[in-house]
Amino acid sequence: MVLGFPLGRSRRRSPKMYDVGITFEGPKCIVDFGRGKFVLDGPDRGQERGQTYDFAVYALIAVGLAKGIGFRFPYPISTEVQTRVRENLFVWDAWRKKHLRSTAFEFSQVAAPRPRAESGGIIALSGGIDSTYGALIAKHQLGITDALLIAGADYSDAGQAGFVDLRRRVQAIADLIGLRLHVLETDIRSLGINWTYLHPMVLAACLHYAGGGLKHGVFSSDSTFWIDLTSTSSANYPGFIETLSTDQFPLSHVGSNATRVDKLKFLDEMLPQVFDHMSVCWKDTATGGNCGTCEKCRRTQLCMVSAGLDPRRMFPNYQPLAEIFDATPLPRKRDKILTQGQYFTKSLRHLPIGPERDAAIRMLTRIQDATGGHFMQGATPDFGPIPVGSVARLLDDKSGIISPVIRG
């Protein structure tokens, strides 16, 4: 029986359909769809190939949305994958992301449900604050036993010098937490998918592929519940992750209840030596460490100051932020300016009175001026995307708490 689903972006013309072919070379899986192909080369954990190919479906969702093509999928899938794909593309259609295109799937085989594994779990571990926090929480609360580092995301391949260094760092983190580390390499990003929006599908595909014989997989949140409600810049949300799960291999989501400052404080209390190994930088791929000067490194330094931690624990070349922020130009694009406004607003909830806090207020004032007096302060529950009057009047300098007042 052929199961046809003209899913997502129905207001546009139907996408051209391509036949999918899947071959294996040891632990390497090659997915060919006529107009291109990609590889998942990872740990062979004894996944029962020939039963289901759910992992390939989730990766192809990302490819289809990026290229505007559909797929005839002749391989067996889990029963619920049909519903999951429909739900997934319904969400993308509702979000109406302008950079994404129509896609569709035709399935021809549904496999009988197989028993779910009784124990074990795997989490994606990149070595950053979010995934390190998530791994530590999931180890103790969800019983995960394994971690997966993916080559082909920020680094082009596993042989790149920067990735070799990152792997050493992530191995140290996994050892501290007590997890077995595996590495999976993929070249799917070379197909031109929008990584910001679509990486959760690729991540789910990798977890499904590497998670054979384990009970479940885990995503680490990179935002709070409040940002999830006020922004759709990514799809790494607890509710959305359900569209990437199956009954045999469900995916969980951890960390949405904590800000990055909260996570830093927790890691400092529970596993302080991990700061010697964490890496947040994506700018300088020549190394697996932190450049200390890019926008993401600066944001992390601000979070560390907000958490009462010394940034030099992760950034040996740290310079006082009060001097840096005043000399930092705003991004050119409005959406980037708004994002920066979110980060600074969030940090003000924790920053102690001092030079860094004063510099952050000046930065917010510049953002206000650059956006005509408006910016989204969705990083806190005090107010959402609303007009903001004077930034100074929104702040209680004595308490350090942002006032809910909208206009002064």
Side-chain angles (χ1 to χ4, degrees), residues 215-238:
K215 189 176 181 180
H216 63 131
V218 180
F219 272 68
S220 295
S221 173
D222 53 12
S223 62
T224 62
F225 283 126
W226 183 249
I227 290 181
D228 292 350
L229 289 172
T230 59
S231 172
T232 56
S233 59
S234 175
N236 187 8
Y237 304 147

Side-chain angles (χ1 to χ4, degrees), residues 290-294 297-298 301 311-320 324:
N290 302 300
C291 75
T293 59
C294 71
C297 284
R298 295 292 192 210
Q301 293 165 13
R312 287 173 293 185
R313 294 170 65 181
M314 287 180 62
F315 307 94
N317 60 343
Y318 172 73
Q319 295 177 272
I324 300 291

Side-chain angles (χ1 to χ4, degrees), residues 347-361:
S347 296
L348 280 171
R349 295 179 63 85
H350 303 277
L351 271 174
I353 295 174
E356 288 84 4
R357 181 177 175 81
D358 293 339
I361 293 174

Side-chain angles (χ1 to χ4, degrees), residues 165-182:
D165 183 26
L166 178 67
R167 180 174 182 171
R168 175 188 60 79
R169 288 171 170 269
V170 176
Q171 182 66 66
I173 293 171
D175 291 343
L176 286 170
I177 297 174
L179 301 174
R180 293 186 294 266
L181 181 67
H182 310 278

Side-chain angles (χ1 to χ4, degrees), residues 341-390:
Q342 285 188 342
Y343 288 122
F344 276 91
T345 302
K346 179 168 56 178
S347 296
L348 280 171
R349 295 179 63 85
H350 303 277
L351 271 174
I353 295 174
E356 288 84 4
R357 181 177 175 81
D358 293 339
I361 293 174
R362 290 194 295 271
M363 176 66 84
L364 280 171
T365 302
R366 290 168 57 199
I367 292 172
Q368 171 188 290
D369 294 341
T371 56
H374 297 73
F375 66 91
M376 176 178 283
Q377 301 200 4
T380 75
D382 295 281
F383 35 75
I386 57 174
V388 177
S390 169

